[in-house]
């Protein structure tokens, strides 16, 4: 039974993978992308998770972020160590002037180094796989 | 997510600790490492290439999608290796998801480990994601410390010092 599933795996897997995308889009991602737009919040609303990028600091020294759709997020944060486009995640409450009173925040200043390191790891993996996989009658085979 | 170097190191640690498990011994170990990388290939790759599709590509990080991706990948291999490759990749992405779940994330992040059964993201809140350099160094050190050759060297050294 397992062998049959694995033999037809490419077709079965591809069909279910595609169906899953639509299900995920309806269940999770549509709702999630709406909940991460600052424009969808009203004064008094609680923001449980909002990802944004550092944009600038206003005259009062408070941080202004940009959400993923480009909306300006005025915050009460006064951190000076952000550089342009630093990835930030915040949660908090929107006050009467639409400013987000941040309760928790996370910043990811070294994300580019992380991406670079991860890409290097991927290249290493593919190099290893290239050395250890060969073709045998139209199928792939690991060298034993 | 922790960086992929940390994930790769976690694969080496796992292999060193469970060396007798056939599906993580060579040559299947390479597919185990492939499995450790699998959830991030599309979901994080798209972050760099297609940032507008950020939310939808998180689907490829779910165990549900990983299972079917594993099914597709393993079906390209010869019949006699297919089942073991499937198990090696599966074990790899399970390890990846456990490592990812260890992070502290505001609002739970984007880790829908039990989707479509449970539609909330889940974390174990053990370390902050911005601590990834320390996690990477610790994981690499632990991977090196748990290697058989290291243990053998320590054992030889202790015997040598006893005989002197």
């Amino acid at each position: 039974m397992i062998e049959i599933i694995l033999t037809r795996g490419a077709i079965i897997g591809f069909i279910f993978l595609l169906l899953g995308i639509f299900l995920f889009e309806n269940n999770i991602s549509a709702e999630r992308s709406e909940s991460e737009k600052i424009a969808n919040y009203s004064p008094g609303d609680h923001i449980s998770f909002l990802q944004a990028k550092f944009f600038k600091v206003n005259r009062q020294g408070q941080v202004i972020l940009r959400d993923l759709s480009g909306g300006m997020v005025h915050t009460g944060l006064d951190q000076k160590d952000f550089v342009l486009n630093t990835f930030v995640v915040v949660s908090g409450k929107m006050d009467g002037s639409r400013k987000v009173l941040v309760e928790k925040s996370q910043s990811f200043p070294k994300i580019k180094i992380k991406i670079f390191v991860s890409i290097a790891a991927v290249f290493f993996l593919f190099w290893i796989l290239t050395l250890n996989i060969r073709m045998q009658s139209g199928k792939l085979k690991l060298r034993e | 997510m922790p960086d992929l170097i940390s994930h790769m190191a976690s694969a080496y640690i796992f292999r060193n600790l469970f060396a007798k498990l056939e599906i993580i011994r060579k040559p299947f170990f390479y597919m185990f490492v492939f499995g450790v990388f699998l959830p991030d290939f599309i979901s994080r790759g798209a972050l760099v290439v297609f940032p507008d599709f950020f939310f939808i590509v998180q689907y490829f990080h779910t165990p549900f999608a990983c299972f079917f991706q594993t099914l597709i990948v393993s079906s390209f291999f010869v019949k006699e290796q297919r089942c073991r490759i499937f198990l090696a990749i599966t074990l790899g992405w399970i390890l990846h998801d456990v490592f990812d779940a260890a992070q502290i994330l505001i609002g739970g992040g984007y880790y829908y480990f039990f989707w479509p059964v449970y539609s909330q993201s889940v974390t174990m809140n053990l370390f902050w994601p911005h601590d990834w350099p320390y996690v990477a160094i610790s994981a690499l050190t632990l991977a090196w410390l748990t290697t058989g050759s290291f243990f053998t060297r320590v054992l030889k050294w202790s015997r040598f010092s006893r005989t002197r």
Side-chain angles (χ1 to χ4, degrees):
Chain A
M1 181 66 182
I2 293 168
E3 199 55 47
I4 295 166
I5 293 169
L6 288 176
T7 311
R8 302 272 170 256
I11 304 157
I12 297 168
F14 191 70
I15 291 167
F16 277 93
L17 202 61
L18 270 182
L19 289 173
I21 292 176
F22 296 113
L23 196 64
F24 190 81
E25 166 69 17
N26 290 331
N27 279 3
I28 309 278
S29 69
E31 188 191 321
R32 196 72 198 250
S33 69
E34 288 306 307
S35 73
E36 292 199 27
K37 285 179 186 162
I38 194 71
N40 291 336
Y41 288 94
S42 309
D45 284 351
H46 186 262
I47 299 164
S48 58
F49 184 97
L50 186 85
Q51 60 164 318
K53 284 178 177 175
F54 173 72
F55 180 53
K56 64 178 181 181
V57 175
N58 67 11
R59 284 179 189 168
Q60 290 80 41
Q62 291 170 333
V63 169
I64 300 175
L65 307 170
R66 261 193 172 163
D67 70 9
L68 293 182
S69 59
M72 295 285 201
V73 184
H74 294 264
T75 71
L77 283 174
D78 57 354
Q79 274 157 297
K80 307 279 192 297
D81 57 342
F82 289 157
V83 290
L84 186 68
N85 287 332
T86 297
F87 186 69
V88 187
V89 175
V90 292
S91 74
K93 199 174 181 183
M94 185 178 267
D95 72 1
S97 59
R98 295 192 63 80
K99 185 195 278 182
V100 178
L101 304 172
V102 177
E103 288 163 2
K104 286 180 193 167
S105 72
Q106 266 182 317
S107 63
F108 302 86
K110 291 175 191 152
I111 201 156
K112 280 183 184 165
I113 302 171
K114 189 175 176 179
I115 291 168
F116 178 77
V117 165
S118 297
I119 290 171
V122 170
F123 275 109
F124 178 72
L125 172 69
F126 277 100
W127 176 63
I128 294 280
L129 287 178
T130 317
L131 293 177
N132 288 286
I133 293 176
R134 63 189 170 88
M135 286 290 280
Q136 191 189 64
S137 57
K139 291 274 181 186
L140 299 171
K141 190 179 183 189
L142 283 170
R143 288 175 200 272
E144 292 199 57
Chain B
M1 62 156 190
D3 64 300
L4 288 177
I5 294 280
S6 306
H7 279 300
M8 187 183 259
S10 75
Y12 277 87
I13 295 167
F14 193 85
R15 184 199 61 178
N16 296 340
L17 295 179
F18 301 97
K20 287 188 176 173
L21 209 59
E22 195 203 344
I23 54 165
I24 54 170
R25 283 208 306 257
K26 283 179 184 173
F28 301 102
F29 176 68
Y30 305 121
M31 296 315 290
F32 173 60
V33 177
F34 177 85
V36 165
F37 282 28
L38 183 72
D40 282 351
F41 276 137
I42 302 175
S43 66
R44 301 298 179 258
L47 254 178
V48 181
V49 188
F50 306 110
D52 291 347
F53 295 98
F54 176 78
F55 294 101
I56 189 72
V57 293
Q58 296 312 309
Y59 164 68
F60 292 96
H61 200 284
T62 62
F64 180 87
C66 287
F67 175 82
F68 292 110
Q69 289 176 88
T70 308
L71 209 57
I72 294 170
V73 172
S74 51
S75 69
F76 292 121
F77 283 85
V78 290
K79 202 175 172 184
E80 59 266 27
Q81 289 185 337
R82 203 173 289 156
C83 200
R84 282 173 291 174
I85 284 172
F86 177 81
L87 292 173
I89 300 173
T90 303
L91 192 61
W93 59 254
I94 290 172
L95 184 67
H96 179 111
D97 282 351
V98 170
F99 202 8
D100 272 358
Q103 295 173 109
I104 302 166
L105 291 162
I106 293 172
Y110 299 96
Y111 299 120
Y112 298 95
F113 297 120
F114 302 108
W115 184 85
V117 178
Y118 180 65
S119 299
Q120 299 294 317
S121 49
V122 180
T123 59
M124 291 192 284
N125 294 335
L126 293 179
F127 64 88
W128 290 97
H130 53 73
D131 287 339
W132 71 266
Y134 310 112
V135 173
I137 292 165
S138 311
L140 284 169
T141 310
L142 204 59
W144 179 67
L145 288 175
T146 53
T147 50
S149 58
F150 177 79
F151 278 132
T152 316
R153 255 182 263 155
V154 171
L155 212 65
K156 274 182 186 171
W157 179 79
S158 66
R159 276 178 195 159
F160 176 72
S161 52
R162 243 184 276 153
T163 53
R164 279 176 73 189

